[in-house]
Amino acid sequence: MSTPGRGPAGSDGGDTAAGTGIRLHAPAPGWSLDADVVVVGSGVAGLTAALRCAAAGRRTVVVTKARLDDGSTRWAQGGIAAALGDGDTPEQHLDDTLVAGAGLCDEEAVRLLVTEGPDAVRRLMAAGAVFDTSAETGEIELTREGGHHRRRIAHAGGDATGAEISRALVGAVQAAGIETVENALVLDLLQDAQGRTAGVTLHVMGEGQHDGVGAVHAPAVILATGGMGQVFSATTNPSVSTGDGVALALRAGAEVSDLEFVQFHPTVLFLGPDAEGQQPLVSEAVRGEGAYLVDADGVRFMQGQHELAELAPRDIVAKGIMRRMQEQGAQHMYLDARHFGAEMWEQRFPTILAACRSHGIDPVTEPIPVAPAAHYASGGVRTDLHGRTTVRGLYACGEVACTGVHGANRLASNSLLEGLVFAERIADDIAGQRFGGNGPVVPVPATGPLQPAAARHEIQRIMTQGAGVLRSADSLAAAAEALEGLYAAALNDLEAHGKTAEPGVDTWEATNLLCVARVLVAAAQRREETRGCHWREDHPDRDDADWRRHLVVRLSATEKRALVVVPTDSADFPSVHPLSTPSLEQ
């Protein structure tokens, strides 16, 4: 176990300076770029970090897996939470966040979020983001979502907040002339002999600036790669959310934490029991404006389960829906907002209205069938309050990171704010450092097997059955065994026959998905309680005595396939690393 404040929770002294020695099979880089900072990802976190680094005079390159405006941020409907309204305070926002996090939030990180958040939102507005305002007062309109006791959610375009933020930030990046590489899947971290970050390798998928595998050399890398929702069959995440940043960080020797806490959004449009891939989200803001959950008989089943009823934190609402589905043998529940009327639907929620109607549901005249689906990873690559990971020169922000803000369950609309605030903190940390030359990059041969492209569907099936909303010792054991079987079969082919799947986007993504799936299941097996969005049917109660603590996971460099899972001694978020240096030079 760790001693909080003393060092990495999973450290045992057995790993090499340059990480695990595990790399993806890929062709050697055929081209390269040089920079001070490479930002991987183009959501609110990545673009905010890039803009601020460039403004500080750092040569900045943005690498993104699709187009600049095609990440998870654009899909955010509800809005961004901040204490902007009359009578609201950062302290009240802090209290709501701590309650939602179920005892595992890092209070210092949350306090930074809520105190720095309002000004960060104002800077976002100064960068061009336009939020909805009242026609009468001209003030920003604020709504409520689950877990919030006040109206503090700023929104844009009714229910198109993420799209507006993305539009503004992409425009600012283009106006600043920041170099970008689009349609590029990041592969692995480059490191020198001391394990310091030296850049990344990446593969451009035919439509970007370069073709094939290349490298961006830089002493600072900011991971802002988003989530890993595609590890489950049904998710609100776009198809690019395959856990690439978490997998890269693990291979580089970084630690991850709290990966068992996957938030399942309670109200996702139900498209049938066999629906797969990205599913339409029905924003929590719909409930914030007065919609309510009902069963097939029209009974409001969330009343009496929590003081906020339909506006309870997401884990409580998701569990309420699942319990009612189990009781009635139903595949979904309903969200009833017929009382809004056509005008409100068209003005306040035009995106959701269009999505529902495209699937044959008209919310103006009928309840919306909904069920929980994988939505957000509360855990990720472990960072400190400046976004620094356990690998020197490697930073993380946004959904890929575990800053300590979310604990066991993210409070609604805190995600955009976290990306914004911690991206600014990372950029400020980098701006304050001296940049010098790293040592030569240490070449690391590929040692881990690639998964065939078909493994993606199998991983999703395994995870949905064994590690979804409802988990148990038996379901998790079955999932762990099946995932290990996939890994062992590929490893045997590599070691016994020298064969691995053909390198390519599909096989790299499947390999990353398997990596994060194994970590998630290992942590979920270890946590024998129900807390936040981790629901163990065989351990239905929260256990503060034994489990008000974090699980820190890393890959072992000394034992094949091994995951080192170490609980911290307390709920305190352990320090990231004692070896951080005041500069990025040798």
Side-chain angles (χ1 to χ4, degrees):
M1 291 187 180
S2 71
T3 302
R6 296 293 297 274
S11 181
D12 64 6
D15 285 355
T16 63
T20 65
I22 302 171
R23 293 294 184 270
L24 292 173
H25 285 264
W31 54 270
S32 66
L33 299 172
D34 291 320
D36 295 325
V37 184
V38 56
V39 179
V40 187
S42 61
V44 62
L47 295 187
T48 298
L51 285 165
R52 205 166 174 97
C53 285
R58 301 305 189 190
R59 293 176 300 162
T60 303
V61 174
V62 175
V63 173
T64 187
K65 195 173 179 181
R67 307 295 294 182
L68 270 182
D69 63 350
D70 207 22
S72 292
T73 291
R74 64 173 286 209
W75 297 100
Q77 295 173 345
I80 185 167
L84 298 167
D86 290 340
D88 197 6
T89 65
E91 198 69 25
Q92 293 175 69
H93 190 181
L94 180 141
D95 289 343
D96 285 346
T97 301
L98 295 180
V99 169
L104 283 186
C105 295
D106 180 75
E107 186 167 340
E108 187 178 0
V110 178
R111 193 170 296 279
L112 285 172
L113 178 83
V114 299
T115 55
E116 296 181 8
D119 283 343
V121 172
R122 294 183 185 102
R123 284 189 288 273
L124 180 62
M125 294 168 64
V130 179
F131 291 98
D132 296 336
T133 57
S134 168
E136 290 78 24
T137 66
E139 297 293 322
I140 294 176
E141 286 188 333
L142 300 172
T143 189
R144 280 182 66 195
E145 291 185 352
H148 293 272
H149 283 80
R150 285 200 176 263
R151 285 183 169 264
R152 66 168 64 98
I153 315 301
H155 48 84
D159 59 357
T161 310
E164 170 58 19
I165 291 174
S166 181
R167 180 204 63 77
L169 291 176
V170 168
V173 164
Q174 292 171 338
I178 296 173
E179 185 167 8
T180 62
V181 183
E182 297 180 299
N183 301 297
L185 169 64
V186 68
L187 299 176
D188 278 305
L189 192 73
L190 296 171
Q191 294 170 272
D192 67 14
Q194 284 69 49
R196 289 183 295 233
T197 294
V200 293
T201 56
L202 62 156
H203 173 77
V204 180
M205 297 176 273
E207 298 179 18
Q209 181 177 346
H210 304 277
D211 288 325
V213 174
V216 181
H217 298 285
V221 171
I222 302 173
L223 294 178
T225 52
M228 45 183 249
Q230 290 291 326
V231 78
F232 295 97
S233 296
T235 177
T236 63
N237 291 190
S239 62
V240 295
S241 297
T242 51
D244 308 318
V246 171
L248 173 150
L250 282 163
R251 290 193 294 269
E255 296 176 352
V256 303
S257 187
D258 299 351
L259 219 62
E260 67 271 32
F261 296 115
V262 175
Q263 186 177 84
F264 286 77
H265 198 288
T267 54
V268 175
L269 183 62
F270 181 74
L271 300 180
D274 299 321
E276 296 180 345
Q278 186 177 10
Q279 310 291 301
L281 176 66
V282 182
S283 171
E284 199 148 323
V286 177
R287 281 175 279 140
E289 295 293 350
Y292 42 83
L293 288 161
V294 298
D295 61 20
D297 297 322
V299 176
R300 290 183 63 183
F301 55 88
M302 284 305 299
Q303 289 186 317
Q305 295 199 33
H306 190 276
E307 60 164 334
L308 296 176
E310 284 91 354
L311 285 176
R314 287 178 177 175
D315 63 310
I316 294 172
V317 179
K319 290 170 187 174
I321 292 173
M322 292 299 296
R323 287 193 187 100
R324 197 66 159 194
M325 287 166 55
Q326 288 178 321
E327 291 169 2
Q328 298 188 340
Q331 295 180 326
H332 62 82
M333 290 288 109
Y334 293 93
L335 185 65
D336 194 345
R338 289 174 290 180
H339 52 286
F340 284 5
E343 183 177 356
M344 181 173 175
W345 268 111
E346 290 164 0
Q347 293 183 2
R348 181 66 177 87
F349 300 110
T351 306
I352 298 170
L353 178 64
C356 289
R357 284 177 170 171
S358 72
H359 291 284
I361 304 295
D362 188 350
V364 176
T365 60
E366 59 188 317
I368 306 168
V370 293
H375 182 57
Y376 190 88
S378 294
V381 184
R382 204 162 69 81
T383 76
D384 66 8
L385 299 178
H386 300 281
R388 295 177 291 210
T389 74
T390 50
V391 173
R392 283 171 288 178
L394 179 65
Y395 296 79
C397 55
E399 190 173 354
V400 70
C402 183
T403 63
V405 160
H406 303 308
N409 180 53
R410 174 177 68 91
L411 181 66
S413 287
N414 268 356
S415 51
L416 292 177
L417 190 70
E418 183 202 29
L420 192 63
V421 167
F422 283 86
E424 290 188 344
R425 295 184 66 81
I426 287 172
D428 291 348
D429 189 70
I430 290 173
Q433 299 193 33
R434 302 184 307 275
F435 276 57
N438 278 37
V441 172
V442 175
V444 179
T447 55
L450 291 179
Q451 291 294 312
R456 177 173 181 148
H457 178 78
E458 183 64 10
I459 294 164
Q460 292 171 335
R461 183 193 64 79
I462 292 167
M463 292 298 290
T464 299
Q465 290 183 354
V469 180
L470 301 178
R471 303 167 179 176
S472 67
D474 289 344
S475 75
L476 290 167
E481 181 179 3
L483 295 172
E484 182 62 22
L486 292 177
Y487 187 92
L491 184 64
N492 182 67
D493 282 345
L494 179 63
E495 294 186 339
H497 310 294
K499 297 179 181 179
T500 192
E502 185 71 21
V505 173
D506 290 345
T507 58
W508 290 322
E509 286 186 332
T511 302
N512 287 338
L513 284 171
L514 180 61
C515 177
V516 297
R518 292 178 64 225
V519 174
L520 192 163
V521 169
Q525 283 184 292
R526 189 72 174 267
R527 183 172 292 279
E528 295 181 332
E529 66 159 352
T530 289
R531 179 186 298 271
C533 49
H534 172 67
W535 188 3
R536 286 282 298 261
E537 292 181 284
D538 52 332
H539 295 280
D541 299 318
R542 173 169 156 174
D543 181 359
D544 280 351
D546 290 332
W547 284 110
R548 191 165 177 248
R549 61 192 68 223
H550 302 273
L551 288 171
V552 178
V553 185
R554 62 182 176 82
L555 294 182
S556 173
T558 56
E559 186 179 348
K560 292 176 184 175
R561 303 195 301 273
L563 297 173
V564 181
V565 184
V566 181
T568 60
D569 286 336
S570 73
D572 294 336
F573 214 55
S575 67
V576 165
H577 54 76
L579 302 177
S580 60
T581 56
S583 74
L584 294 177
E585 64 182 347
Q586 280 188 286

